Amino acid sequence: MATIVLKGLRKTYGKVTALDGVDLELRDGEFFCLLGPSGAGKTTTLKAVAGLEEPDEGRVEIGGVDMDGVEPYDRRVAMCFESYALYPHYSAYDNMASPLRSPRYKVPADEAKRRVGRIAELLGISHLLDRNVGELSNGQRQRVALGRVLVRPADAFLLDEPLSHLDAKLRQSMRAELKTIGAVERTTTLYVTHDYVEALGLGDRIGVLREGRIVQVGTREEIWDRPADTFVAQSFGKPRVNLVEGAAAEGGRFRSPDGEVDIPLPGGVEIRPGRDLVLGVRPRDVALVRDGRPADGTVELRGRVYVTEILGRQSEVTVSVGESRVSLVVPREQAAGLGREDPVRLAVPTARLLLFDPADGGRRIAP
Ligand code: ADP
Ligand code: MG
């Protein structure tokens, strides 16, 4: 177990800035998810921790020790790459046990067998241990590769999108199992993904990386309820958060340019009238008003159906409110009779509104 601290990490490849001052602190035993789109610098961050890439600036500390000049093998971290390299002619068991036979991590054969057996069980590959990995599917191979990392004694695991080759169903069950492994081992884990569902499902805490910078670190609740900016808000949730452009108006209101969205500013913030704003609300927080008044704590918007889409048992309804668009997710029955241009009333809960400042990179200003 170990803390991992990154301070001001910078890394460039020619003209490309991969890391632009990454600061991060992982607590001892924590399962930390680093989320970011492709190219954000996730793999480069992991490589810097593992010692496979030397940062141009900044430092890495593991367990309070500065890793400058410490060889990868001496860092006591186990890393699982996106592209896994297994020995194709060896069995899954031999692949997984191979680190435990190397002089560095050598353990007695029965201890190796116990470790491999337990991890294989957690990964659901016990029945594959005798098979050559050349005969396995991509998803099975990925689990063997992950297993080979997890059997190693290590102070920290560095996992680079380890579930990316699995189908959706397997990913879901593996997510649960990975968390169990983390809990059993209590090993500090830095887990990289571009999938927000994975981050929300796994992370004790989540860090969001954008263009080589950490834009927010927080618990899943903090990230979901209080996204630092529009980028973070848009990175979590499907359908994506609604962002409505407008400006502050007299009387503490938010108004879209055509005045069709006109509602009290959330969180009682005071903002100079005329200042540009972006209002955010998540599709699953918006409801259709069938008849009567909208529920307490909500404000009503009137619009027309733009398009409806089926998402399994639910439907996504996109509504034009003047020139603005607002999507909502409702049970399918509610959307069944709705066609394009039908008038609808929406209930938007004021407590769920987010307010962002477009003049400041979309930073959240309320709540
Ligand atoms: P991620 O893992 O988040 O997708 P990476 O850390 O792999 O992102 O890459 C960050 C940026 O650095 C990207 O623009 C990528 O093209 C660039 N990059 C990464 N590794 C190299 C390399 N060895 N040579 C040149 N550019 C690289
Ligand atoms: Mg990567």
Side-chain angles (χ1 to χ4, degrees), residues 42-43 82 160-161 192:
K42 303 182 296 297
T43 299
E82 265 168 297
D160 197 355
E161 314 218 17
V192 158

Side-chain angles (χ1 to χ4, degrees), residues 85 121 143 151 154 192 253 326 361:
E121 194 177 328
R143 280 180 284 164
V151 295
V192 158
R253 299 186 73 82
V326 177

Side-chain angles (χ1 to χ4, degrees), residues 13 168 306:
Y13 298 102
Y306 179 68

Side-chain angles (χ1 to χ4, degrees), residues 16-257:
V16 177
T17 302
L19 302 182
D20 193 13
V22 170
D23 294 303
L24 209 56
E25 292 195 19
L26 270 64
R27 299 170 188 148
D28 206 3
E30 173 171 50
F31 200 113
F32 190 97
C33 279
L34 188 60
L35 179 93
S38 177
K42 303 182 296 297
T43 299
T44 307
T45 303
L46 282 191
K47 285 182 173 169
V49 177
L52 302 173
E53 288 282 11
E54 201 180 325
D56 304 333
E57 282 174 41
R59 53 198 233 145
V60 173
E61 291 174 11
I62 300 177
V65 179
D66 188 348
M67 287 292 122
D68 189 30
V70 179
E71 290 297 320
Y73 283 127
D74 293 326
R75 296 193 178 197
R76 296 190 48 83
V77 296
M79 177 162 174
C80 183
F81 292 98
E82 265 168 297
S83 50
Y84 37 87
L86 296 168
Y87 304 109
H89 306 297
Y90 285 21
S91 68
Y93 181 89
D94 285 336
N95 269 281
M96 281 177 68
S98 64
L100 303 177
R101 293 173 184 150
S102 74
R104 191 166 296 265
Y105 308 111
K106 192 159 178 56
V107 298
D110 55 341
E111 162 75 4
K113 197 167 176 193
R114 199 183 56 77
R115 290 184 81 104
V116 171
R118 191 169 61 91
I119 298 291
E121 194 177 328
L122 285 166
L123 296 175
I125 50 174
S126 305
H127 60 296
L128 303 174
L129 287 176
D130 294 333
R131 303 260 298 272
N132 272 3
V133 296
E135 302 165 10
L136 302 181
S137 72
N138 276 343
Q140 292 168 333
R141 270 201 283 256
Q142 194 169 32
R143 280 180 284 164
V144 174
L146 183 55
R148 188 167 67 176
V149 172
L150 298 176
V151 295
R152 269 178 52 182
D155 288 343
F157 294 130
L158 310 175
L159 307 179
D160 197 355
E161 314 218 17
L163 306 184
S164 58
H165 291 273
L166 307 184
D167 62 47
K169 194 159 160 256
L170 198 52
R171 278 171 93 124
Q172 201 174 1
S173 67
M174 288 283 297
R175 274 208 295 277
E177 270 140 26
L178 263 182
K179 195 75 198 247
T180 318
I181 295 171
V184 169
E185 304 279 350
R186 297 198 168 282
T187 303
T188 312
T189 301
L190 179 52
Y191 184 101
V192 158
T193 179
H194 67 270
D195 178 350
Y196 81 90
V197 179
E198 249 171 59
L200 289 176
L202 285 169
D204 294 329
R205 289 191 305 152
I206 298 170
V208 183
L209 191 63
R210 179 190 194 185
E211 292 171 7
R213 279 170 195 260
I214 299 283
V215 287
Q216 186 171 7
V217 172
T219 63
R220 356 173 186 196
E221 291 80 10
E222 285 163 353
I223 298 258
W224 184 266
D225 295 334
R226 300 277 189 275
D229 58 19
T230 49
F231 175 81
V232 177
Q234 287 185 298
S235 299
F236 291 84
K238 206 175 156 194
R240 280 185 171 200
V241 65
N242 292 294
L243 296 178
V244 178
E245 292 179 10
E250 294 294 344
R253 299 186 73 82
F254 170 92
R255 201 166 288 159
S256 61

Side-chain angles (χ1 to χ4, degrees), residues 264-270 350 353 366-367:
L265 284 172
V269 283
E270 284 189 28
T350 44
L353 291 175

